[in-house]
Amino acid sequence: MKIKTEAGERHVLAVTVDNEAGILAKITGLFSARGYNIESLTVADISADHALSRITIVTSGPPAVIDQIIAQLDRLVPVHNVVDLADQGAHVEREIALVKVAGSGDKRIEALRMADVFRAKVVDTTLTSFIFEITGNSDKVDRFIALMRECGLVEVGRTGVVAIARGAEAV
Amino acid sequence: MTEMSGADMVVQALVDLGVDTVFGYPGGAVLPIYDALFKHPTIKHILVRHEQAATHAAEGYARSTGKPGVVLVTSGPGATNAVTGITDALMDSIPMVVLTGQVSTALIGTDAFQECDTVGITRHCTKHNYLVMDPERLGPIMHEAFYIATHGRPGPVVIDIPKNVQVATGNYVIPEKIAHKSYRPQVEPDADAIAEAIALIAAAQRPVFYTGGGVINAGPDASAALRQLVSLTGAPITSTLMGLGAFPCDDPKWLGMLGMHGTYEANMAMNRADLIIAVGARFDDRVTGRLDAFAPEAKKIHIDIDRSSINKIVPIDVAVVADAGRALDALIAAWQDAGHKPRDLGEWWRRVDGWRATRCLDFPERKDDDADIMPQRAVKALFDATRGRDPIITTEVGQHQMWAAQHFGFSAPNRWLTSGGLGTMGYGFPAAVGAQIAHPGRLVICIAGEASLQMNIQEMGTVAQYRLPVKIFILNNEWMGMVRQWQELTYESRYSNSYSDSLPDFVKLADAYGWTGLRIDTLGQLEDGIRTMIETPGPVIVDCRVAQLANCFPMIPSGAAHTEMLLQPSDVTGTMDDEAKALV
């Protein structure tokens, strides 16, 4: 017998929660307990009085699973609301990566040239290395990192995705 | 606002919240609360013999009264022992508040004596939990916890209280009104959804009500509303294991329980219906059987207070997110406002009666006095003997539980206490203790299997201590019968570890605890034995020896459809393919 898995499309969820101890564990635990995917997760305090945090989760699944994920998140006591940004029409996604590249000669020059094409900033340099800061959607960051692998990539740190709907309205 | 110790705040909050009973077990990290309880004679503390039993007793108390059950246990093993009952309450939506002691805040995270990460361990088996780091927060948290446990879909809430927070003093604050920042369950149904539902019900030719524990949780008024709506629409009704009692078993519209060990007529009606009206039920795998064959011709209306239950298993046509009672009231009002009359469902009822004619709950038996007692007969005899006494019945988990569900009739809610979702062996006896505490004058009977009973049999001491007249009626077949039944169905009768070896002499055990013990061996002794059990004051354990190899039918085997029921032992082939084996 083979175990079947279902593919599905990518969704970005914005979850507003009480900024209390254990909430992140509660949310990630829900995903692992119910077998949902987390492709990326970011969390930070967003309110002036530090009472609320916004968690941005990139997940994937068939529509029925996405609907369940939203319903399951929404019924957690400390969750204020859950928004599927795909339902909100167009939205903006950004991610930051810090990319360390080491090397010399042509590879070093090539890395710098491609960083310029990608509008990555140099935030640190030594005679044998650069650290680039690149901001963009995940695809762009992925492509930049893939190119840097050919140019002496030694280390990457990524923030994961934050996203927000376009227009004047708050979700 | 009054200055007092954290422990006093806990007890004062219990008093303010109207709690009369706490089930618990003391230990180092809750000693301050136990000392505070000592000074408060209004709260009755029931000392159990194992923390798991405290949680099940609290469930029995809650399920039989509609009020939240309260548990008090110590840190570490006290908390971990409570986890099974907490999870059971989560699965069956039982309101419960569990107070756990914790090591002092300075020791948290140091692997201190009897320390465990209680909020971490219970995070996913509670509706919500708290670690209280400041005594000033105890008042608001206690009140909020009871609100969360009892509002919306009920469930267990854990409050973990470090020992120094119990000792420290602060102001006891009672929140004026509980309005949680984010938790606002939807209780009132949406009018458009009700209108859509009524249109479907009025147009249906083959409707069936499928109701569950949500109707019981919505209170006795919801059961009354259900009866009225069924009567108005003229449709047949079936229910889950958890929903038994919401609709009277002697009503002609009652089809019996549905699902894996449900009746043929209930499952066939679900399969052939053109409309299913699900009320407070969650399309559990034990109910649906094979999903792609579940109710293929039916539109589905789903009333549930938990939005995540909608479309979780089965796609729904009309969703009503609301308290079951409010939704039923709204449906009745809308039905009457529209001037609907019951449709002529004569053709549908003729088909239902055809399925009923299979008499699927009949079982073969010898009738002479020396005959072995069929377990089904024992349950029927118990039902007959207790009619008019309005008993509260609890069960353990296994064959006896299914036979009780099939053959014991219920006519009112809150009389049937069983572990449905988690299927916890060891639930029934402590649940009976909790129910008996809540209803001292009532007849409370735990229908048990000899294997399940042993999982919390230590509670015989609790019963003796509080002189509770609990009756335990063991259907003793010397097997973990349901395990053996599955081994016969699936593993060609290789009985791996399913025999109940080295059983105690239950009559002597009764004697050892100061109970009355009885043994029933043959059919001729059955009625007298049951009568003696009922008429004997105080706790009684009945070791009713039943036919050992009887199995529970009808049965929808793993991975099969409602239409593929096994009605009798001769339908069993003894093997299954891997797909079916992999299903629970």
Side-chain angles (χ1 to χ4, degrees):
Chain A
M1 193 184 82
K2 295 275 188 290
I3 294 175
K4 302 182 190 89
T5 50
E6 258 187 300
E9 55 185 69
R10 177 178 178 278
H11 286 250
V12 182
L13 307 180
V15 188
T16 310
V17 300
D18 279 334
N19 189 14
E20 63 181 35
I23 177 64
L24 192 58
K26 196 155 179 79
I27 290 195
T28 53
L30 185 151
F31 275 73
S32 62
R34 294 187 183 269
Y36 306 142
N37 299 316
I38 296 182
E39 290 175 11
S40 141
L41 184 146
T42 64
V43 56
D45 169 6
I46 52 160
S47 59
D49 60 359
H50 308 290
L52 295 177
S53 288
R54 178 167 166 131
I55 301 179
T56 309
I57 302 170
V58 180
T59 184
S60 62
V65 171
I66 299 295
D67 185 58
Q68 258 302 296
I69 292 174
I70 293 168
Q72 292 290 350
L73 285 169
D74 206 30
R75 77 176 185 148
L76 297 179
V77 169
V79 169
H80 287 246
N81 68 4
V82 185
V83 175
D84 182 353
L85 289 171
D87 288 346
Q88 303 297 307
H91 65 275
V92 181
E93 284 179 33
R94 286 294 178 269
E95 185 177 4
I96 295 179
L98 296 174
V99 181
K100 185 182 284 187
V101 177
S104 56
D106 285 351
K107 283 201 168 168
R108 183 172 162 85
I109 294 164
E110 189 60 20
L112 197 61
R113 213 171 59 80
M114 280 189 294
D116 189 46
V117 172
F118 275 80
R119 297 196 178 85
K121 279 196 295 190
V122 177
V123 291
D124 179 69
T125 182
T126 66
L127 289 173
T128 55
S129 69
F130 290 119
I131 298 173
F132 298 114
E133 174 196 315
I134 178 162
T135 304
N137 63 30
S138 300
D139 274 355
K140 175 180 167 182
V141 174
D142 287 346
R143 278 185 286 122
F144 181 68
I145 292 169
L147 288 169
M148 288 303 112
R149 287 190 201 285
E150 308 299 319
C151 304
L153 179 97
V154 290
E155 196 176 346
V156 180
R158 294 174 74 153
T159 58
V161 172
V162 291
I164 202 159
R166 289 187 188 273
E169 310 297 317
V171 295
Chain B
M1 257 187 354
T2 331
E3 172 105 6
M4 58 175 88
S5 75
D8 283 327
M9 284 186 217
V10 169
V11 175
Q12 189 58 48
L14 292 175
V15 172
D16 292 345
L17 286 156
V19 173
D20 52 24
T21 308
V22 174
F23 300 90
Y25 202 103
V30 277
L31 284 175
I33 297 175
Y34 270 87
D35 195 51
L37 268 180
F38 197 75
K39 294 173 278 187
H40 268 272
T42 57
I43 294 181
K44 184 164 44 178
H45 179 272
I46 303 300
L47 177 65
V48 295
R49 300 298 186 265
H50 185 289
E51 289 91 348
Q52 184 193 352
T55 56
H56 295 321
E59 288 186 274
Y61 177 95
R63 195 72 176 167
S64 65
T65 61
K67 295 194 290 184
V70 181
V71 174
L72 174 60
V73 295
T74 193
S75 62
T80 56
N81 280 344
V83 164
T84 299
I86 294 170
T87 312
D88 193 272
L90 183 74
M91 293 286 272
D92 284 345
S93 308
I94 309 293
M96 183 157 90
V97 174
V98 181
L99 307 168
T100 54
Q102 181 55 278
V103 300
S104 288
T105 51
L107 289 174
I108 289 178
T110 66
D111 303 319
F113 177 64
Q114 293 195 328
E115 183 190 0
C116 74
D117 177 12
T118 301
V119 287
I121 289 168
T122 61
R123 188 167 283 131
H124 304 293
C125 63
T126 52
K127 184 171 171 186
H128 194 46
N129 65 12
Y130 303 87
L131 171 61
V132 188
M133 299 294 275
D134 171 4
E136 303 254 332
R137 291 283 302 137
L138 266 172
I141 284 175
M142 289 285 294
H143 286 262
E144 185 180 279
F146 276 77
Y147 174 86
I148 288 172
T150 53
H151 284 71
R153 182 175 179 174
V157 177
V158 164
I159 309 176
D160 196 28
I161 312 171
K163 194 171 183 181
N164 60 334
V165 174
Q166 299 169 36
V167 173
T169 56
N171 288 308
Y172 171 59
V173 184
I174 308 173
E176 282 176 12
K177 183 171 169 289
I178 302 282
H180 194 271
K181 287 172 290 189
S182 51
Y183 186 66
R184 303 277 172 85
Q186 185 175 339
V187 175
E188 295 299 334
D190 174 63
D192 292 343
I194 292 292
E196 280 183 65
I198 284 294
L200 285 181
I201 297 171
Q205 295 181 325
R206 302 188 306 281
V208 60
F209 283 91
Y210 150 54
T211 66
V215 180
I216 312 272
N217 276 337
D221 290 350
S223 294
L226 177 66
R227 291 158 197 223
Q228 192 186 352
L229 185 64
V230 170
S231 163
L232 286 172
T233 56
I237 172 169
T238 179
S239 141
T240 67
L241 181 71
M242 297 308 293
L244 296 177
F247 194 84
C249 63
D250 53 1
D251 189 293
K253 296 198 174 58
W254 174 243
L255 302 181
M257 183 174 76
L258 86 165
M260 183 170 272
H261 291 289
T263 65
Y264 185 69
E265 50 269 35
N267 287 329
M268 289 303 291
M270 290 291 282
N271 184 263
R272 300 286 193 250
D274 68 351
L275 178 68
I276 288 170
I277 307 136
V279 189
R282 59 185 176 86
F283 296 88
D284 178 79
D285 56 85
R286 284 295 182 273
V287 158
T288 61
R290 198 174 81 225
L291 271 177
D292 59 13
F294 174 73
E297 297 159 21
K299 287 200 182 295
K300 285 124 191 147
I301 298 168
H302 191 181
I303 298 168
D304 204 293
I305 199 160
D306 182 354
R307 213 268 275 174
S308 73
S309 287
I310 312 271
N311 291 323
K312 181 169 70 174
I313 310 288
V314 168
I316 296 303
D317 297 282
V318 176
V320 181
V321 179
D323 172 79
R326 304 288 178 86
L328 288 165
D329 288 344
L331 287 172
I332 291 166
W335 180 272
Q336 289 172 334
D337 287 351
H340 287 304
K341 296 279 174 272
R343 291 178 66 95
D344 175 10
L345 301 176
E347 176 54 32
W348 179 225
W349 276 107
R350 271 187 288 283
R351 294 177 70 183
V352 169
D353 288 340
W355 298 319
R356 275 177 169 161
T358 60
R359 301 191 55 83
C360 67
L361 294 179
D362 284 0
F363 51 94
E365 64 178 335
R366 277 171 51 203
K367 304 270 190 178
D368 53 291
D369 277 359
D370 293 335
D372 281 352
I373 300 167
M374 292 302 286
Q376 300 94 321
R377 173 61 54 201
V379 173
K380 285 171 91 80
L382 194 61
F383 176 47
D384 289 338
T386 56
R387 271 180 208 262
R389 291 174 182 264
D390 198 16
I392 295 172
I393 301 295
T394 76
T395 76
E396 303 287 346
V397 169
Q399 284 183 325
H400 69 276
Q401 177 191 30
M402 293 298 111
W403 283 317
Q406 291 172 337
H407 296 281
F408 205 101
F410 295 92
S411 294
N414 306 105
R415 270 77 169 168
W416 166 246
L417 320 179
T418 195
S419 170
L422 196 63
T424 309
M425 293 171 72
Y427 165 90
F429 176 30
V433 171
Q436 189 79 74
I437 292 284
H439 306 275
R442 292 270 290 278
L443 177 61
V444 179
I445 305 172
C446 170
I447 300 178
E450 84 290 337
S452 282
L453 177 64
Q454 292 183 83
M455 285 212 182
N456 271 318
I457 199 162
Q458 77 286 342
E459 296 309 309
M460 291 180 77
T462 308
V463 167
Q465 180 178 346
Y466 297 97
R467 299 184 174 83
L468 304 174
V470 168
K471 317 297 181 195
I472 299 178
F473 190 82
I474 309 171
L475 299 181
N476 186 346
N477 64 358
E478 294 184 13
W479 287 89
M480 291 162 219
M482 195 57 93
V483 172
R484 188 204 61 209
Q485 178 165 345
W486 279 60
Q487 288 171 336
E488 289 174 12
L489 242 62
T490 315
Y491 301 99
E492 296 162 327
S493 301
R494 290 186 292 279
Y495 296 142
S496 181
N497 292 282
S498 52
Y499 182 65
S500 291
D501 213 327
S502 305
L503 285 173
D505 179 330
F506 289 106
V507 175
K508 282 188 181 158
L509 191 65
D511 197 38
Y513 275 105
W515 291 40
T516 304
L518 300 171
R519 179 162 162 155
I520 300 174
D521 284 292
T522 59
L523 189 58
Q525 302 166 348
L526 182 62
E527 280 185 29
D528 278 354
I530 289 173
R531 192 177 315 116
T532 308
M533 174 188 85
I534 295 168
E535 288 171 359
T536 303
V540 182
I541 193 162
V542 179
D543 184 5
C544 181
R545 297 298 176 126
V546 296
Q548 293 203 350
L549 298 182
N551 279 339
C552 191
F553 293 101
M555 178 178 190
I556 302 174
S558 259
H562 278 172
T563 50
E564 300 164 343
M565 296 196 84
L566 308 175
L567 292 173
Q568 53 205 358
S570 57
D571 294 342
V572 173
T573 57
T575 56
M576 278 189 192
D577 64 23
D578 284 353
E579 298 281 345
K581 275 185 189 167
L583 296 165
V584 286

